[in-house]
Amino acid sequence: MGTTARTARATKTRGGRIGVAVTAALAPAMWGTTYLVTTQVLPEGRPLLLSATRALPAGLLLLLLGRKLPRGRWWGRVAVLGMLNIGLFFPLVFFGAYHLPGGVASTIGAIQPLLVAGFGIGVLGVRPGRRAVVAGLVGVVGVGLLVLKAGAALDGEGVAAMVTAIVLMAMGTVLIRRWGMPEGAGLVDLTAWQLVAGGLFLAPLAALVEGVPPAPTGANLLGFAYLGLFGTALAYVLWFRGIGRLGAGPASFLGLINPLVATVGGLVVLHQTLTGWQVLGLVLALGAMLVGQAPARRRPAPSPEGAPAPVAVGGAAREAHEAHDGRRAAATQPRLPAA
């Protein structure tokens, strides 16, 4: 009976994990459409305007739904996360979308699992497993084969912007995992706070740098509505839920869906075709994503007294009692100087 019960619990846990991974994967899938929407229906040359319009309305909407504000040290943490994940990340992504083909821009995001693994060593105190490193490298190669083809225009400024954006988001992903969930708040609240913090930074900056925005067209309004409601409000709630349930490392592998969707968008909308190398890249990228989701079997390294046991970044090793871990981590882990 004991063995049967354990097997049933393990099966239920795996099923729940797959469900969380599938819903979390919707976030990078929606983000993969950002490049196509930006170039086809949004105003040109306005990265700050697009960022502010994408972040602030969505954040205010979620804030009305949650009706909670940060408390105590979470004001500082929200400021840090809002800048990393929104205030700096959004303009850099839109700048990259203006200067690079969508597939090329999104393929740079394939370095995120490796960055998360590296940041996890210093911030989470964990060592990435060999499988995580290998899967991350395979993902980079696979997505590179998929979207980087001869003649692709690689603008230096665009590449630098996208690399910087991915570095910032990787750090934000790790910090969310470290700090956990605020006491008495939910995913909608945490998402709303970051969007509002980033939007309040971006709105006056856009007005100062880019001047009065042009009158929006009907296509512009549809593009803003899509990015705000689906590509931002919904996507970030699902993404932060995935980080909390799966771990920072496994969640980061789901980001490989972003360039896949960007490439498929080019195939469908722009009537592009896939070469044999690109098909191979698609298989490698999907394989790396699946390997990155597999549970790790290695035991976590000993943690300092009073601190939560670290999570193996390379797999999906979960701290005991995941739901409780977020609050415990937030209460016991030392704060960053900025917070």
Side-chain angles (χ1 to χ4, degrees), residues 239-256:
W239 182 247
F240 295 147
R241 177 174 178 263
I243 294 173
R245 300 285 184 86
L246 302 174
S252 68
F253 276 93
L254 295 175
L256 296 175

Side-chain angles (χ1 to χ4, degrees), residues 34-133:
T34 299
Y35 310 97
L36 191 61
V37 172
T38 299
T39 56
Q40 298 299 311
V41 300
L42 295 182
E44 297 182 5
R46 297 271 184 167
L48 294 175
L49 172 64
L50 269 55
S51 300
T53 308
R54 180 182 179 184
L56 193 53
L60 292 174
L61 175 62
L62 293 180
L63 193 62
L64 288 175
L65 294 176
R67 296 183 179 275
K68 290 186 178 70
L69 292 175
R71 292 187 296 178
R73 60 186 175 182
W74 271 98
W75 284 101
R77 291 179 174 180
V78 166
V80 173
L81 294 175
M83 292 302 295
L84 290 175
N85 292 325
I86 309 297
L88 298 176
F89 177 76
F90 276 9
L92 291 169
V93 167
F94 281 118
F95 185 88
Y98 285 134
H99 288 76
L100 296 171
V104 175
S106 60
T107 193
I108 298 174
I111 67 174
Q112 185 176 350
L114 296 178
L115 291 172
V116 168
F119 289 145
I121 297 174
V123 177
L124 298 177
V126 298
R127 298 177 180 177
R130 181 181 301 175
R131 181 170 57 192
V133 176

Side-chain angles (χ1 to χ4, degrees), residues 30 33 37 41-43 50 53-55 57-58 61 216-235:
M30 287 183 279
T33 64
V37 172
V41 300
L42 295 182
L50 269 55
T53 308
R54 180 182 179 184
L61 175 62
T217 65
N220 294 160
L221 294 176
L222 288 176
F224 283 131
Y226 169 77
L227 286 182
L229 294 176
F230 295 97
T232 303
L234 177 60

